[in-house]
Amino acid sequence: DAKTTQPPSMDCAEGRAANLPCNHSTISGNEYVYWYRQIHSQGPQYIIHGLKNNETNEMASLIITEDRKSSTLILPHATLRDTAVYYCIVRVPPRSNYQLIWGAGTKLIIKP
Amino acid sequence: DGGITQSPKYLFRKEGQNVTLSCEQNLNHDAMYWYRQDPGQGLRLIYYSQIVNDFQKGDIAEGYSVSREKKESFPLTVTSAQKNPTAFYLCASRKSSGSTDTQYFGPGTRLTVL
C-alpha cells in the first residue's frame, strides 16, 4: 500500500492561497489520491480526488506531478473556517476492501 | 437531507460495561465503516461491511463487535474486552462511482470510560 508523507503543521494568512503538499513516492498506477479534512471534533469531510490530471471543484484544486510521486492541495482564498487537519490518502486498489489508509495529516491554521 | 447520523455525541461508561454506538445512513450506500481516532492521530479501521449481513475485521477489531442487519444501520459494540476504549469513534459510508469511491462521515461519538 502506498503511504503518504505530509508536514505536521502549516500556517496561512486569511485571504491567501493555502498550498498543502503531500508525498506519495510509492504510489502505483491505478491508485487515486484523495484529500479529506477534519475540523476539530467533527467527522472528516471529502474535498477532492484525482488520478493523473489536475482537478478542481468548488472547494479546492489538486495538482498532481507528472511522475505522480507528489501532489498539492490548493485552497485558493483561505478563510478562518478552513482551519482543520488535512489528510492526503492514497486509495488501496479495488481488490481489497476500499480501505483508506489515514496518516496524521497536516494541521492548517488560517490566521487573520 | 441525506446523511449519516451517530448517537450519542458524548458517551460515558464505567469500566467493564459493554456499550453500543449507533450509526444510521439514508444515502443508500452499500458499504459502511467504523473508525477509531485517538488524540493527534489519524483514523484506524475497526470493522467494515460491504453488504447487508456481511462484515469484516479491520486493523483493530479486537474488543469490538458489529452487526449489519439492515442497509441503513451499522451499530458498533465496544465490549469490556477492549483494553483502552476511550476514543473518538467515527462511522462512514461509501459511495461508489465507477472506479473511484468517496467516504462520507458522521459527526462522531466521543466515548469516555471512567
Side-chain angles (χ1 to χ4, degrees), chain B residues 65-76:
Chain B
S65 66
V66 293
S67 63
R68 186 85 187 277
E69 296 176 2
K70 298 186 299 181
K71 188 175 186 177
E72 300 80 17
S73 178
F74 191 40
L76 173 74

Side-chain angles (χ1 to χ4, degrees), chain A residues 32 34 36 38 91 97 99 103, chain B residues 37 42 48 59 99 101 103:
Chain A
Y32 284 73
Y34 283 77
Y36 285 75
Q38 185 176 25
R91 173 177 168 266
N97 60 11
Q99 181 175 345
Chain B
Q37 187 175 33
Y48 65 99
D59 297 325
S99 59
D101 60 272
Q103 292 191 15

Side-chain angles (χ1 to χ4, degrees), chain A residues 2-100:
Chain A
K3 293 198 167 116
T4 61
T5 304
Q6 299 177 254
S9 65
M10 293 180 63
D11 293 345
C12 180
E14 187 179 18
R16 304 297 293 268
N19 297 282
L20 291 91
C22 179
N23 287 323
H24 31 78
S25 58
T26 61
I27 193 170
S28 64
N30 61 346
E31 289 181 309
Y32 284 73
V33 180
Y34 283 77
W35 282 84
Y36 285 75
R37 72 179 182 185
Q38 185 176 25
I39 295 169
H40 183 63
S41 293
Q42 296 183 21
Q45 176 190 23
Y46 165 79
I47 301 173
I48 199 167
H49 72 276
L51 182 63
K52 294 180 183 178
N53 300 321
N54 298 339
E55 303 287 345
T56 296
N57 63 19
E58 65 279 3
M59 290 183 68
S61 295
L62 174 61
I63 309 298
I64 302 174
T65 57
E66 193 168 342
D67 63 7
R68 302 210 327 121
K69 293 179 186 266
S70 66
S71 60
T72 301
L73 179 75
I74 301 172
L75 307 178
H77 304 288
T79 71
L80 298 178
R81 287 179 294 180
D82 292 322
T83 292
V85 177
Y86 287 76
Y87 296 97
C88 168
I89 299 163
V90 173
R91 173 177 168 266
V92 177
R95 283 192 299 279
S96 71
N97 60 11
Y98 294 92
Q99 181 175 345
L100 300 177

